[in-house]
Structure formats: structure tokens, C-alpha cells
């Protein structure tokens, strides 16, 4: 049977990781793969996570099935964390899912059940996985203007003009915070306008919330999501615990439905659970139990928040150091945007020839579209990196 298949294209990020691993130069720098790294270049297990795991190990009594919606305490804790009291919970439903990706997947499937072949509008550019997840769910993907390659900020007027033309059948995918790949984000005032547009047009907001706490803070990063929810009748949210809890390989996320009322929420949730049952039946528990344990325990939660604050402060410091070094060396403000961006990524807007040159000549690895992971910047070699950027661009 397999003779009918042709080889699928490989994943570009995984290929780049392979190239980096095979590069023998000790001075190589990995700004490619999208995971947080500490000063040692390690993606650490957070101390709050280790403590939660010890507690779980000591107190766990069963490994029986959880149920299709997953860990209930986790679901309630995630809703508190992400939505707080922005919306009446009677019309909100949640199902734990494997990572942000699994959450996006089951929610896209739900959209396709509600409106087969609906159009999902994604930002130009967006996280490359959004397209296949939507298309493999039967949906049509179109883009709305987002990144301004001249200013490396958001083309907000054009974005809003595009959103204003949408209608009730359209789905608008928004990055809740820390836009991937650009690092350029909406201000609170812009979120207010996006929320007003969505309320006016009736387009369905679908918020990808993969980096809560990585931008300006847990509360600050939730602003856009909460604002939108406070004014629209229906919404979808895909939450990920991969980055902010450092639980990448545990595959923990959540699919959240906001419906017009409790009755419609129950119907939509029944479809969502039916989709999950027919796919992987039930989500894995370990990551969810870790998050539940942390969020329900005041001490562990305080420790987690302190660790998250530390990671965020490190990323902001690295942004500031790199843009300051480039400014000093080049006498130009062209790269100040790196300090203005938030989250783990910045899209530098360099041509692919420069990206390739940096890799070949300096051993500096980044994604082909010139997205860098700021957590990969070695703090003691910021000057070397600034020199490499400036000489590659000559
Ligand atoms: C924008 C965005 N959404 C969702 C995800 C999904 O993350 P995960 O499935 O690892 O939780 C990522 C991860 O890179 C992302 O960048």
C-alpha cells in the first residue's frame, strides 16, 4: 500500500537542529529552535515543577483513566489563570489536550463540524504549524496583514481594516501574546480596537495562548484575551503549558470554548469530547497534574511565578543588550525593535542570503525567515553576535 505515497517534506526547524548538532565549531550559536534556554544553554526543569512531581509521586494512588476532558482540577486552574473573571463561566467549557498543538487541532476540528470548510484568517506571517492544522481539519486558510517589514512592528491599520471586512462565518486566529514568529505585539489600546471590531462583525476569535507570562507578565499578557472575551458572544482559546511551565515533552494544553449561553456551551463541548474520543480518547495526565499541583498550592505557585518572572526578565535583558550593542557599533537605531519586541522571538527581517551567511561564516543558526530565539543569545557573547549581524549585512 505504501507505494502510493511520496515522501512528505521534512520539518525545517528539525533539519536546522540537526545541522546545528553536526556543526563542530565550539563558537556556534543556536538561535533556532523555539524552547527557552538558561545561561548554560539548557532548557531546565523548573524547580516548582520538580517539587510538584515529588508530591505527585508521593501522593499518587491510581493511574486509572481520567475521562475525555482530562484533569478537572487542571481545567479549573487554567481557566482561573488565563481568563480570571473576564467572563461568566457558565458559558465556558474546557478540555485538556496534548499541548497547544493538540488543543488547536481539536478546536479546528470543532470549527469544521460547526461550519465545514470555514475560512480561518491567520496573521501574515504566523507560526507555520497553524496552516497544516487548519487545512488538515478541512478549513481554508487566508491571511490578514500583520508584520510591517519596514518598522518590524504591527501594520495595525491594515490589520484592523482587514478584520473589519469579516463576517460571522469567519474565524480569526490571534496570538494572545508574544507573537510567533515576529515578536511584534498589539498594545492594549489596539486589542481594544480588535475586540470592538470582532464584536461588530461577528467573526469568531480563536486565540492561541502559547506564551502566557513570557511577554510582560501573567496579568499583562492576558489582557488581549480577556478584553476580547468580555465583548464577544463566542470564542475559542488554545492554551499551552509547554513554555510557561517548561513542560514541552509532557504535552499539556487545553481547548477552551466560549459559547453564547450554557446550553450552547454544553452542545459544543459534547462535540469537542466526541472529537477527542475519536482521536486519542483521553489526554495524558502527568503535565496537567503538575500544573494543577502548582497552581493550587500557594507556595509552589509563588515559586513558579518567581521562576517565570526570572525567565521573562532574562529574555528582556538579552533583547536590550543585543539591540544596545548593535546601536553602539552601527550608530543606528535600526535594530532597536529587538528591545521593543516581546516573547521568545524576533523576526529580524533579514534576507535569506544573510541568514545563510551567518550560519556558514559565523555558526549563527536561525530559522530561514530570520526568526531568532532571544533565549538562545549567549549573554557573554552579545558583542560577537552584534559584530556577526553587522558584518553579514554589509
Ligand atoms: C504560536 C504557537 N502556538 C502553539 C504552540 C504549541 O506548543 P505546544 O504544542 O508545544 O504546546 C507553539 C509552540 O511553538 C506556538 O509557538
Amino acid at each position: 500500500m505504501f507505494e502510493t505515497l511520496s515522501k512528505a517534506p521534512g520539518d525545517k526547524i528539525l533539519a536546522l537542529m540537526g545541522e546545528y548538532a553536526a556543526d563542530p565549531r565550539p563558537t556556534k550559536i543556536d538561535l533556532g529552535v523555539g524552547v527557552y534556554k538558561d545561561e548554560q544553554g539548557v532548557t531546565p526543569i523548573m524547580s516548582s515543577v520538580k517539587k510538584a512531581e515529588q508530591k505527585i509521586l508521593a501522593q499518587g494512588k491510581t493511574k486509572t483513566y481520567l475521562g475525555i476532558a482530562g484533569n478537572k482540577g487542571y481545567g479549573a486552574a487554567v481557566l482561573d489563570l488565563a481568563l480570571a473573571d473576564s467572563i461568566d463561566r457558565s458559558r465556558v467549557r474546557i478540555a485538556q489536550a496534548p499541548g497547544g498543538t493538540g488543543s488547536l487541532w481539536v478546536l479546528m476540528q470543532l470549527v469544521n463540524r460547526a461550519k465545514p470548510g470555514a475560512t480561518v484568517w491567520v496573521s501574515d506571517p504566523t507560526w507555520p504549524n497553524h496552516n497544516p492544522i487548519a487545512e488538515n481539519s478541512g478549513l481554508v486558510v487566508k491571511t490578514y496583514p500583520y508584520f510591517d517589514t519596514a518598522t518590524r512592528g504591527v501594520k495595525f491599520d491594515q490589520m484592523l481594516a482587514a478584520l473589519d471586512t469579516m463576517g460571522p462565518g469567519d474565524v480569526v486566529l490571534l496570538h494572545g501574546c508574544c507573537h510567533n514568529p515576529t515578536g511584534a505585539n498589539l498594545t492594549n489600546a489596539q486589542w481594544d480596537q480588535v475586540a470592538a471590531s470582532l464584536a461588530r462583525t461577528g467573526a469568531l476569535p480563536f486565540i492561541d495562548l502559547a506564551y502566557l507570562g513570557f511577554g510582560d507578565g501573567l496579568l499583562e499578557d492576558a489582557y488581549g484575551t480577556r478584553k476580547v472575551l468580555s465583548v464577544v458572544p463566542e470564542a475559542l482559546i488554545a492554551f499551552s503549558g509547554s513554555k510557561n511551565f517548561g513542560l514541552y515533552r509532557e504535552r499539556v494544553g487545553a481547548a477552551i470554548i466560549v459559547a453564547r449561553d450554557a446550553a450552547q456551551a454544553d452542545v459544543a463541548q459534547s462535540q469537542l469530547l466526541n472529537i477527542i474520543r475519536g482521536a486519542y480518547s483521553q489526554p495524558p495526565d502527568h503535565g496537567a497534574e503538575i500544573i494543577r499541583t502548582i497552581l493550587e498550592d500557594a507556595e509552589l505557585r509563588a515559586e513558579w511565578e518567581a521562576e517565570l518572572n526570572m525567565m521573562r526578565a532574562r529574555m528582556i535583558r538579552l533583547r536590550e543588550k543585543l539591540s544596545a550593542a548593535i546601536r553602539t557599533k552601527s550608530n543606528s537605531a535600526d535594530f532597536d525593535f529587538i528591545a521593543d519586541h516581546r516573547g521568545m522571538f524576533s523576526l529580524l527581517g533579514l534576507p535569506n542570503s544573510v541568514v545563510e551567511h551567518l550560519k556558514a561564516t559565523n555558526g549563527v543558526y536561525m530559522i530561514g525567515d530570520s526568526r531568532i530565539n532571544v533565549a538562545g543569545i549567549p549573554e557573554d557573547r552579545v558583542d560577537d553576535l552584534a559584530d556577526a549581524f553587522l558584518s553579514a549585512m554589509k
Side-chain angles (χ1 to χ4, degrees), residues 34-35 98-104 126-130 133 175 177-181 208-211 238-243 247-249 251-253 344-345 371:
V35 295
T101 308
S103 310
L104 285 162
T126 193
W127 182 48
N129 228 12
H130 282 149
I133 296 171
H175 296 226
C177 62
C178 307
H179 188 273
N180 180 8
D208 185 350
L209 197 55
Y211 296 91
F239 172 85
S240 168
S242 300
K243 322 282 160 147
L247 287 171
Y248 306 85
R249 65 172 64 171
R251 312 308 301 135
V252 58
M344 209 148 65
F345 306 113
R371 184 196 82 172

Side-chain angles (χ1 to χ4, degrees), residues 274-294:
N274 183 264
I275 288 163
I276 292 172
R277 183 68 175 150
Y280 49 83
S281 179
Q282 321 213 350
D285 186 46
H286 191 61
E289 184 61 4
I290 291 169
I291 293 181
R292 183 191 71 76
T293 304
I294 291 173

Side-chain angles (χ1 to χ4, degrees), residues 140-157:
V140 174
V141 178
K142 291 188 183 159
T143 58
Y144 59 82
Y146 188 79
F147 189 61
D148 186 337
T149 46
T151 63
R152 273 85 151 195
V154 179
K155 277 179 185 167
F156 186 67
D157 291 346

Side-chain angles (χ1 to χ4, degrees), residues 10-19 32-34 127-128 180 367 371:
D11 186 280
K12 287 195 187 129
I13 299 186
L14 297 183
L16 190 78
M17 279 168 75
E19 268 186 80
V33 66
W127 182 48
N180 180 8
I367 310 297
R371 184 196 82 172

Side-chain angles (χ1 to χ4, degrees), residues 68-374:
I68 305 172
N71 188 315
K72 294 226 162 52
Y74 163 80
V78 166
L79 290 179
D80 287 341
L81 184 71
L83 312 189
D85 56 2
S86 57
I87 180 170
D88 169 12
R89 294 278 175 89
S90 68
R91 57 192 191 93
V92 180
R93 299 291 179 272
I94 186 164
Q96 183 198 328
T101 308
S103 310
L104 285 162
W105 173 264
V106 295
L107 289 174
M108 295 278 186
Q109 298 281 323
L110 181 69
V111 170
N112 199 50
R113 282 198 180 178
K115 187 161 193 284
T119 300
V120 179
W121 294 87
V122 302
S123 61
D124 176 25
T126 193
W127 182 48
N129 228 12
H130 282 149
N131 292 42
I133 296 171
E135 283 163 0
N136 291 339
S137 303
L139 303 171
V140 174
V141 178
K142 291 188 183 159
T143 58
Y144 59 82
Y146 188 79
F147 189 61
D148 186 337
T149 46
T151 63
R152 273 85 151 195
V154 179
K155 277 179 185 167
F156 186 67
D157 291 346
Q158 291 179 50
M159 174 186 177
L160 193 64
L163 297 191
D164 280 341
T165 65
M166 290 175 196
D170 290 308
V171 180
V172 181
L173 191 76
L174 297 157
H175 296 226
C177 62
C178 307
H179 188 273
N180 180 8
T182 70
N185 297 293
L186 301 180
T187 62
N188 286 357
Q190 289 171 338
W191 272 114
D192 293 349
Q193 291 185 69
V194 165
S197 169
L198 292 163
R200 208 166 41 238
T201 64
L204 180 76
F206 187 152
I207 301 178
D208 185 350
L209 197 55
Y211 296 91
L212 189 64
F214 262 39
D216 289 305
L218 280 171
L219 198 64
E220 292 83 348
D221 294 351
Y223 181 88
T225 304
R226 294 180 188 175
K227 179 69 198 194
V228 169
L229 293 194
S230 70
V231 299
V232 297
E234 296 178 327
L236 299 171
I237 301 151
F239 172 85
S240 168
S242 300
K243 322 282 160 147
N244 43 15
F245 288 87
L247 287 171
Y248 306 85
R249 65 172 64 171
E250 299 298 350
R251 312 308 301 135
V252 58
I256 302 170
I257 299 170
V258 175
R260 268 170 216 283
D261 54 37
Q264 283 197 14
D266 283 338
V267 172
Q269 175 79 344
S270 74
Q271 290 289 343
L272 185 70
L273 298 186
N274 183 264
I275 288 163
I276 292 172
R277 183 68 175 150
Y280 49 83
S281 179
Q282 321 213 350
D285 186 46
H286 191 61
E289 184 61 4
I290 291 169
I291 293 181
R292 183 191 71 76
T293 304
I294 291 173
L295 294 180
E296 285 182 0
D297 178 306
E299 235 172 83
L300 281 182
R301 184 182 171 124
E303 184 169 345
W304 167 68
E305 285 196 27
E307 291 182 280
L308 182 62
N309 292 347
M310 199 263 305
M311 295 197 289
R312 182 176 62 249
R314 181 177 132 74
M315 291 186 283
I316 293 175
R317 190 171 68 242
L318 290 168
R319 289 181 174 285
E320 284 166 355
K321 283 194 171 176
L322 181 60
S323 71
I326 298 178
R327 175 188 269 264
T328 308
K329 288 172 191 292
S330 66
N331 221 352
S332 116
D334 284 358
F335 280 77
D336 282 12
F337 68 85
I338 296 176
D340 299 334
H341 285 171
R342 281 293 177 272
M344 209 148 65
F345 306 113
S346 269
L347 194 64
L348 300 185
L350 303 176
N352 190 258
S353 56
V354 174
V355 172
E356 287 300 322
H357 178 91
L358 279 162
K359 183 167 72 178
T361 313
N362 307 93
V364 175
Y365 286 73
M366 65 182 74
I367 310 297
D369 61 1
S370 75
R371 184 196 82 172
I372 60 165
N373 173 3
V374 295

